């Protein structure tokens, strides 16, 4: 069974992430989409909120498992018997950071392969912070995120105004 890990902050998950996930599902028997707990980013959504949103969004995907992890990604991948890490590559600007991570992860765990997938070009300019910012300023992000996430963003924006 070929297992891949799709790690990230997913704060929140966007249609761009889903695009990558769907592509990965075509290549692997199981894809574990997993939230990194020790990210240096200060999240808008708690880990529980992010998990809940992702679970709802991928509910109908039979090959997908949703999880969180602490510590090194390579150790987590080993525990999960995964042979690959999936990362999205949107533009040249992603390349340097992704190359460094992929090479470092290879140094740390030789058998683990990083697979880069390109999302549909309509998502190449998308990231979670830009979605958060537009939503915070009452802009329309309905084209960029699943409905569950859209509702959660609106709720956050309302509670921030109180
Ligand atoms: N569509 C939309 N947005 C996308 C995207 C896509 N297809 N692919 C990436 N992004 C965005 C994300 O939304 C995120 O945006 P943001 O910065 O505005 O929040 C950004 O691109 C990149 O973030 P993400 O993919 O979530 O990765 P990350 O940099 O937050 O996390 C980890 C990277 C979790 C994989 C890495 O930090 C890690 O492995 N941590 C564990 C500790 C470890 O092993 N460290 C050593 C690594 S060598």
């Amino acid at each position: 069974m070929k297992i891949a890990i799709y790690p990230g902050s997913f704060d929140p998950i966007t249609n761009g992430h889903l695009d990558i996930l769907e592509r990965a599902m075509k290549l692997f028997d199981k894809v574990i989409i997993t939230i990194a707990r020790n990210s240096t980013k200060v999240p808008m959504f708690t880990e529980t909120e992010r998990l809940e949103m992702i679970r709802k969004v991928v509910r109908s995907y039979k090959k997908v498992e949703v999880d969180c992890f602490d510590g090194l990604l390579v150790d987590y991948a080993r525990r999960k018997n995964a042979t690959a890490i999936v990362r999205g590559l949107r533009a040249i600007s992603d390349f340097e950071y992704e190359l460094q991570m992929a090479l470092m992860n290879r140094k740390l765990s030789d058998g683990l392969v990083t697979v880069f997938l390109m999302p549909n070009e309509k998502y190449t300019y998308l990231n979670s912070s830009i979605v958060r910012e537009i939503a915070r300023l009452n802009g329309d992000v309905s084209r960029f995120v699943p409905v569950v996430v859209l509702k959660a963003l609106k709720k956050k924006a309302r509670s921030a105004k109180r």
Side-chain angles (χ1 to χ4, degrees):
M1 184 161 179
K2 290 224 171 296
I3 303 173
I5 307 286
Y6 182 26
S9 311
F10 305 109
D11 185 38
I13 188 164
T14 66
N15 290 341
H17 292 124
L18 278 180
D19 179 295
I20 298 294
L21 186 65
E22 284 164 9
R23 286 172 204 279
M25 281 158 54
K26 292 182 188 145
L27 301 174
F28 298 97
D29 301 307
K30 179 156 118 184
V31 183
I32 306 174
I33 177 166
T34 186
I35 299 171
R37 281 201 183 112
N38 55 347
S39 163
T40 49
K41 296 174 180 175
V42 179
M44 173 188 243
F45 292 100
T46 64
E47 180 189 308
T48 311
E49 287 171 328
R50 282 178 281 162
L51 271 177
E52 212 173 290
M53 281 189 279
I54 299 174
R55 285 211 175 100
K56 282 185 183 158
V57 170
V58 305
R59 203 165 28 201
S60 62
Y61 297 175
K62 299 277 175 289
K63 288 180 166 185
V64 176
E65 192 180 300
V66 185
D67 199 12
C68 289
F69 75 102
D70 284 311
L72 283 178
L73 179 59
V74 290
D75 292 337
Y76 174 78
R78 206 173 290 128
R79 286 200 300 277
K80 292 287 178 180
N81 294 319
T83 50
I85 296 170
V86 169
R87 295 288 290 168
L89 208 52
R90 291 160 299 169
I92 298 279
S93 50
D94 283 343
F95 183 75
E96 223 166 304
Y97 172 61
E98 294 297 338
L99 175 77
Q100 185 186 26
M101 263 204 306
L103 293 181
M104 186 52 86
N105 282 331
R106 192 196 284 168
K107 277 269 178 289
L108 294 172
S109 179
D110 201 23
L112 196 61
V113 175
T114 302
V115 175
F116 292 106
L117 297 172
M118 287 177 198
N120 187 303
E121 58 275 14
K122 66 183 176 195
Y123 300 130
T124 49
Y125 55 88
L126 195 58
N127 67 24
S128 298
S129 2
I130 209 159
V131 164
R132 289 197 303 270
E133 185 179 344
I134 296 169
R136 204 166 16 225
L137 301 172
N138 288 320
D140 179 12
V141 291
S142 57
R143 277 166 298 162
F144 311 131
V145 293
V147 176
V148 171
V149 175
L150 187 65
K151 284 184 185 159
L153 282 165
K154 284 185 178 162
K155 200 169 155 196
K156 280 274 175 206
R158 277 198 303 272
S159 61
K161 274 188 203 130
R162 276 189 213 130

